[in-house]
Amino acid sequence: MSASVKSPRAPLSPLGDDAWPDSVEVLIMGGGPVGMSCAILLAQRGIDVLLVERRDFVFRFPRAHLLNPRTMEAFHDMHVADDIYAATPTHDRWRKAVWYTTATGPGRFDGMKIGEVPAWGGGPDAERYRSSSPRAFANMPQLRLDPLIHRHAVAAAPGRIRSRQEVVGIEQDADAAVVSVRDLESGELRTVRARYVIAADGGRDSAALLGVEMEGPRDMREVVNYHVSMDLSAWSEPDALLGHFMHPAGGARRRGTIQALGPTHYNRDAEEWLVSVAAWMVEGDPDDEAALFASIRRMLGLADDHEITMHSMTRWSYDALVAKRFREGRVFLAGDAAHKHPPTGGLGLNSGIQDAQNLCWKLAAVLDGQATDALLDSYQAERRPTVAWYTAHSLENANRHPPIAEALGFTDDEAEGFRSLEVFVSDTPEGVAMRERVAAEVGHNAHDYSQLGVEAGYHYWAGALVPDGTPVPGDPSDPVTFHATSRPGHHLPHVWLAGRERVSSHDLIAPVGLTLLTSASAAERWTDAVAAVEASMPITVAVVDDADEGWAVARQVDADGALLVRPDRKVAWRASALPEDAASALSSALAVILRGGDAPADDPAEPYLRRIRAAADVLVR
């Protein structure tokens, strides 16, 4: 069993509502899920943190909803995951995406299903998703997720989560960032000195205050989303969470999308829906509710008097942006302040939470004197290439719908589209061939909905790790297939350990410091090596039984080898066997890790930035 290493600090004491600290260790700009996650992660380690948000904490719009296994691991560390799972569907039937002509309607081809793919670890994907992580994919609209995280943040950092506070200035000196904060209720201006600042405000204020430069295309496609209540129980599709609609009247363009929002059902019986209708579908003033509802009814094949109730709406555009720098002195960019993704693939919120997980253990280590400030440079080295990859992949996913319409024979000629549907449903060789083509194009959306290679397989090319010169396993261009590996920079392989009821290899990793994983037969020698190293960062030795065959395969090192793992479960170093001088080898590895590693010869983000530009050039707008 691993030894328990606890933060040496006490929990944060409550701060009165009227009390404002003159200085804090970390000030967080932005009270969205990324900022609040940072507050929780830092407060758990006893770091003196203050979060300021310019708006209130009333959450009005659904926004993101998909939480992949790596994100749920981070939420597990924050003690938030169980609450998320308790508030989301208890069955797995929602885990698919479907394509229809309409949801219902009187016409011959109304309500016709075009195809479906498993999604988010459902159906045939279930076993490979289960093998990647001890935490399952979850679905929780941000409308409900944000209040949940807010409750946890307020409990972890009592009195330190402040609303209606706008950051209007950031000045930096050698020791701190001096942050000017205006109270939007009283107009009072205050200054707070912070050792470090996390800008998680979506770039609303931080971009101008810091002069952040973003790379990538903007305003590529306008999207208007509507949060509505309506009855779709007449839809023949019983289970799908997400539906796309394509029709001869729309030609090669998707007409729109619907997503079940619950709160008690996440299928056709959902009480609430997120509806996205293509702008060209709205006939008349897009701000006119009657024109909007007419377009929704037309897309779904509903009667002209079918009741729809509007709750809220939002307009936004597809951007594919990555900040040139994720660090500006003592200020770090996280979430949308550092990168903006198209929604396809659902990687925006997930990558933001993973930013928080990466950054906060490093900030805590530096503030606790376990590492120097140089460790913090590895945040950009690790996260920037990763989110550039995510952004490129998301933008490429956005072009996977038009080929379905083309395979169906949909063109600008609506009548021709209906003739093609006659072929599609026919028992002719032409019909069989068309159905095969359509199924193939629908299947290509596995790159969006079964993208385990992206969600679980992201890894760091350089940073707080010691590369061992081995190649990345598998085909790095394959977003679907996930290869578990102990290669440095990759996520620790998940294995349910033999003889321990529902204990994963992930559960052995200490929340503070580094964990050295080894077998029972080599534990004494590695423990002696750890004791001989003068390390500023605590190292926990975690032991797995030699007879555990699952772990013996997953670890990819000999029985007397070891894996050195970070709190975010990234492998920082591995020894394939016990070195002749284990203490010296471990000491050398620590020196590299704690200074943030070595810079690569070429920018790992650049290939993905090129992919972003290429995908933007061919995006169907």
Side-chain angles (χ1 to χ4, degrees):
M1 298 290 290
S2 67
S4 176
V5 177
K6 297 182 179 179
S7 171
R9 299 183 182 218
L12 296 179
S13 58
L15 186 66
D17 290 344
D18 295 329
W20 274 87
D22 294 326
S23 63
V24 294
E25 289 179 300
V26 179
L27 184 141
I28 300 168
M29 297 173 59
V34 176
M36 290 191 292
S37 293
C38 288
I40 295 170
L41 288 165
L42 292 168
Q44 284 176 337
R45 291 160 174 80
I47 302 299
D48 185 17
V49 64
L50 176 69
L51 182 150
V52 293
E53 163 60 46
R54 67 188 301 195
R55 297 171 298 190
D56 55 30
F57 287 108
V58 177
F59 304 99
R60 300 174 176 84
F61 199 78
R63 295 185 291 172
H65 61 109
L66 297 169
L67 307 171
N68 69 38
R70 295 291 181 252
T71 297
M72 291 307 297
E73 290 172 19
F75 281 139
H76 176 79
D77 291 345
M78 297 178 219
H79 311 299
V80 174
D82 287 348
D83 286 350
I84 293 173
Y85 288 131
T88 54
T90 56
H91 61 81
D92 287 336
R93 298 188 307 276
W94 59 273
R95 299 175 188 266
K96 63 178 177 179
V98 297
W99 285 258
Y100 274 75
T101 52
T102 63
T104 185
R108 168 167 159 71
F109 295 112
D110 287 339
M112 189 182 79
K113 190 169 188 174
I114 295 168
E116 70 173 57
V117 292
W120 319 302
D125 287 340
E127 180 53 41
R128 67 192 190 93
Y129 268 78
R130 280 194 295 265
S131 69
S132 73
S133 173
R135 314 295 161 217
F137 220 117
N139 168 63
M140 191 176 197
Q142 220 173 309
L143 181 70
R144 301 183 186 103
L145 175 67
D146 285 4
L148 190 159
I149 302 175
H150 180 254
R151 290 195 298 272
H152 281 265
V154 168
R160 292 166 169 82
I161 310 298
R162 302 292 178 91
S163 64
R164 303 292 292 161
Q165 305 295 323
E166 180 182 22
V167 174
V168 295
I170 302 175
E171 300 292 336
Q172 302 191 52
D173 57 34
D175 301 314
V178 180
V179 183
S180 299
V181 182
R182 177 186 292 124
D183 187 313
L184 294 179
E185 300 291 345
S186 68
E188 184 176 355
L189 187 66
R190 301 179 177 92
T191 59
V192 181
R193 286 181 64 85
R195 290 276 303 279
Y196 294 102
V197 175
I198 300 174
D201 66 334
R204 287 181 294 272
D205 295 320
S206 59
L209 292 173
L210 299 170
V212 175
E213 292 185 73
M214 306 290 281
E215 295 183 78
R218 300 173 183 266
D219 301 327
M220 291 175 287
R221 179 187 289 174
E222 183 184 7
V223 178
V224 185
N225 286 341
Y226 309 94
H227 175 201
V228 304
S229 289
M230 61 183 175
D231 180 1
L232 281 187
S233 58
W235 190 16
S236 63
E237 178 58 51
D239 297 317
L241 177 78
L242 188 67
H244 302 287
F245 295 91
M246 314 186 89
H247 192 274
R253 298 175 293 180
R254 181 178 50 165
R255 301 179 96 186
T257 301
I258 59 171
Q259 172 205 325
L261 293 178
T264 56
H265 301 281
Y266 288 85
N267 54 19
R268 65 185 176 189
D269 294 318
E271 300 88 344
E272 299 175 24
W273 296 85
L274 182 67
V275 180
S276 177
V277 180
W280 55 267
M281 282 282 293
V282 182
E283 297 176 353
D285 183 355
D287 292 323
D288 178 5
E289 197 170 89
L292 164 65
F293 287 173
S295 70
I296 294 175
R297 295 184 183 107
R298 191 164 67 255
M299 177 180 79
L300 299 176
L302 303 172
D304 291 345
D305 60 351
H306 192 92
E307 185 175 353
I308 302 174
T309 301
M310 174 75 78
H311 299 298
S312 60
M313 65 174 288
T314 184
R315 279 192 173 82
W316 52 282
S317 297
Y318 271 31
D319 294 329
L321 303 172
V322 180
K324 290 187 176 181
R325 297 183 311 282
F326 281 26
R327 178 179 191 180
E328 189 65 43
R330 292 183 169 273
V331 185
F332 298 86
L333 308 179
D336 285 354
H339 44 88
K340 298 181 188 296
H341 309 182
T344 37
L347 295 170
L349 172 60
N350 287 287
S351 60
I353 300 301
Q354 291 154 22
D355 288 346
Q357 186 185 38
N358 181 292
L359 177 59
C360 287
W361 79 263
K362 296 173 182 176
L363 280 170
V366 171
L367 291 165
D368 279 338
Q370 298 171 4
T372 68
D373 181 89
L375 174 63
L376 300 176
D377 288 334
S378 68
Y379 172 64
Q380 172 171 307
E382 293 175 357
R383 294 305 300 166
R384 188 169 179 271
T386 300
V387 299
W389 176 26
Y390 276 17
T391 304
H393 179 68
S394 298
L395 193 53
E396 290 161 353
N397 282 341
N399 259 345
R400 299 196 184 279
H401 298 278
I404 299 173
E406 292 167 10
L408 285 164
F410 292 176
T411 68
D412 291 339
D413 185 338
E414 183 177 343
E416 178 62 28
F418 279 110
R419 287 192 290 272
S420 292
L421 285 180
E422 293 284 359
V423 176
F424 180 71
V425 301
S426 71
D427 292 328
T428 64
E430 293 80 7
V432 171
M434 178 181 283
R435 288 192 292 274
E436 289 176 350
R437 290 195 300 273
V438 171
E441 295 299 346
V442 169
H444 289 160
N445 283 269
H447 285 215
D448 190 334
Y449 298 110
S450 298
Q451 55 183 3
L452 186 61
V454 175
E455 293 162 344
Y458 75 88
H459 64 278
Y460 299 141
W461 291 258
L465 57 99
V466 184
D468 66 0
T470 57
V472 176
D475 178 2
S477 66
D478 177 5
V480 175
T481 307
F482 168 67
H483 296 273
T485 177
S486 67
R487 180 178 180 269
H490 290 250
H491 218 65
L492 178 71
H494 152 62
V495 174
W496 293 116
L497 299 176
R500 310 188 195 190
E501 186 175 354
R502 301 304 288 177
V503 174
S504 167
S505 50
H506 284 201
D507 297 328
L508 301 184
I509 305 308
V512 177
L514 300 170
T515 302
L516 191 137
L517 273 170
T518 190
S519 63
S521 60
E524 183 176 355
R525 288 169 288 176
W526 277 109
T527 299
D528 289 344
V530 169
V533 172
E534 294 184 7
S536 57
M537 181 173 286
I539 301 174
T540 300
V541 178
V543 180
V544 181
D545 195 295
D546 291 70
D548 193 321
E549 296 180 357
W551 177 247
V553 173
R555 70 192 181 204
Q556 298 178 331
V557 297
D558 294 343
D560 62 349
L563 304 177
L564 192 62
V565 186
R566 305 171 354 175
D568 58 359
R569 298 183 185 84
K570 288 290 184 283
V571 177
W573 174 68
R574 67 177 173 181
S576 59
L578 185 74
E580 184 174 342
D581 186 345
S584 177
L586 181 58
S587 181
S588 297
L590 279 171
V592 175
I593 294 163
L594 296 183
R595 62 175 165 79
D598 298 317
D602 300 311
D603 180 4
E606 183 53 38
Y608 301 107
L609 296 172
R610 289 197 295 268
R611 279 175 55 180
I612 291 170
R613 292 188 286 269
D617 286 343
V618 298
L619 180 69
V620 175
R621 288 161 166 78

